[in-house]
Amino acid sequence: MSRVLVTGGLGASGRWIVDRLASDGHAVTCVDQRFAESERGTVDVRVADLTDRGDVFDLVGEFDPDAVVHWGAIPDPLDHPGGEVFENNVVSTYNVLEAAGRADARVVWASSESALGFPFAAEAAAPDYLPVDEDHPLRPEDPYGVSKEAGEALARTTARRHGVPVVSIRPSWIQYPGEYVCLDNDPPAEGVGNFWSYVDVRDIASIAAAALSADVDGHEAVFAVADENYADRPTAELFEERFGEVPEPCDLSGDDAAISNAKAADLLDWEPVHSWREAADEDVDEPVI
């Protein structure tokens, strides 16, 4: 059993990560802005402001984790002032990653596909090539995407300064079993920013778990995406219809996802196992904290 501290552990996707890690036998400290009674003897729920360096260093120092999963953040630029989104996400990421590095704890944290710059761009634009991979340039123009690009710079700094492995997970649009809101859109008019990609929250929990045990040196960024688009149409056809052309080079077949998860497969031995075809109507138990 290892000790893992999870920030944002009571959030929509954070809960699934806590449940997965606790089920795997880890002792988990779940940190959030609110308190909830834990139903597990191996989960300790704590309240903290991640933008308060004292709170973060105090918690990490007390718990002395083997690993930190930093999942707490304002998740988009739409519901808060832009400056608040940027400041909250960057300051909290600095605090958590620096505290983890000083504690010699490996780090897994939530970056985002938004670091590419497409999901919240003022004008929809196509990527340079298909499928998009981790070598694609990052061009964010919104405070959320910029905060994630800055977070990846902090991740590289943490790995260099403290010699701990750091994995930046870039999830696509996270969907929940029985609640696949992506299917409420009418492609290609909507959902252009992530190019009709998505990922099931259970696959997010599994990639976080995989990143904690993978043999990683330094910093690595990986996309977390389902294998196929949610539009149930050929992906190249969607690009042709929406943008008037297909980015070249294009190495896609049928409804292959426009964003590649190949690096996650190679580096973390991870592959998504959930598809919208079954998960959209799936009835599963809620995660247990």
Side-chain angles (χ1 to χ4, degrees):
M1 176 188 294
S2 63
R3 300 182 303 277
V4 186
L5 186 146
V6 181
T7 72
L10 296 180
S13 57
R15 300 176 64 86
W16 293 84
I17 294 173
V18 171
D19 178 73
R20 170 61 185 260
L21 297 181
S23 297
D24 286 350
H26 298 288
V28 180
T29 291
C30 170
V31 182
D32 213 297
Q33 292 180 312
R34 58 189 175 87
F35 180 77
E37 292 287 348
S38 173
E39 299 180 37
R40 296 178 181 268
T42 56
V43 176
D44 181 13
V45 180
R46 300 293 183 94
V47 176
D49 177 0
L50 298 181
T51 65
D52 185 311
R53 200 148 30 254
D55 275 8
V56 174
F57 276 61
D58 189 25
L59 273 175
V60 173
E62 176 186 351
F63 188 55
D64 189 25
D66 301 301
V68 171
V69 178
H70 175 42
W71 220 254
I74 296 176
D76 61 55
L78 303 177
D79 300 326
H80 297 76
E84 181 181 353
V85 173
F86 180 80
E87 291 173 3
N88 176 87
N89 290 357
V90 173
V91 171
S92 62
T93 299
Y94 171 82
N95 291 343
V96 173
L97 269 60
E98 178 65 16
R102 294 188 188 188
D104 197 32
R106 67 185 298 143
V107 178
V108 175
W109 80 285
S111 182
S112 173
E113 66 180 7
S114 294
L116 289 166
F118 298 110
F120 299 106
E123 295 184 7
D128 296 356
Y129 54 84
L130 290 171
V132 176
D133 61 15
E134 289 78 6
D135 291 329
H136 194 285
L138 305 182
R139 306 186 186 109
E141 59 186 57
D142 68 278
Y144 177 69
V146 172
S147 78
K148 294 304 182 179
E149 183 181 23
E152 292 193 16
L154 291 170
R156 294 191 293 271
T157 298
T158 300
R160 287 193 299 264
R161 181 181 180 88
H162 299 289
V164 297
V166 183
V167 178
S168 298
I169 297 176
R170 298 175 178 172
S172 188
W173 190 4
I174 300 176
Q175 305 298 309
Y176 299 84
E179 298 180 42
Y180 264 53
V181 297
C182 63
L183 300 181
D184 296 336
N185 290 312
D186 182 19
E190 301 291 341
V192 174
N194 61 4
F195 310 122
W196 311 281
S197 297
Y198 74 97
V199 64
D200 190 282
V201 69
R202 292 164 293 180
D203 289 323
I204 287 298
S206 71
I207 196 174
L212 288 178
S213 59
D215 184 12
V216 175
D217 291 322
H219 169 258
E220 297 286 355
V222 296
F223 285 109
V225 198
D227 285 330
E228 74 285 290
N229 70 53
Y230 61 76
D232 198 22
R233 290 172 56 189
T235 306
E237 178 183 296
L238 290 167
F239 274 92
E240 179 71 36
E241 185 173 314
R242 181 62 180 83
F243 296 103
E245 61 181 2
V246 179
E248 293 291 345
C250 175
D251 185 17
L252 295 177
S253 176
D255 65 349
D256 285 353
I259 301 174
S260 172
N261 55 34
K263 183 178 177 181
D266 291 341
L267 183 68
L268 308 180
D269 193 26
W270 172 87
E271 292 183 359
V273 298
H274 298 283
S275 168
W276 64 267
R277 290 176 172 82
E278 297 79 35
D281 299 317
E282 202 169 354
D283 185 13
V284 302
D285 293 336
E286 288 295 310
V288 177
I289 301 299

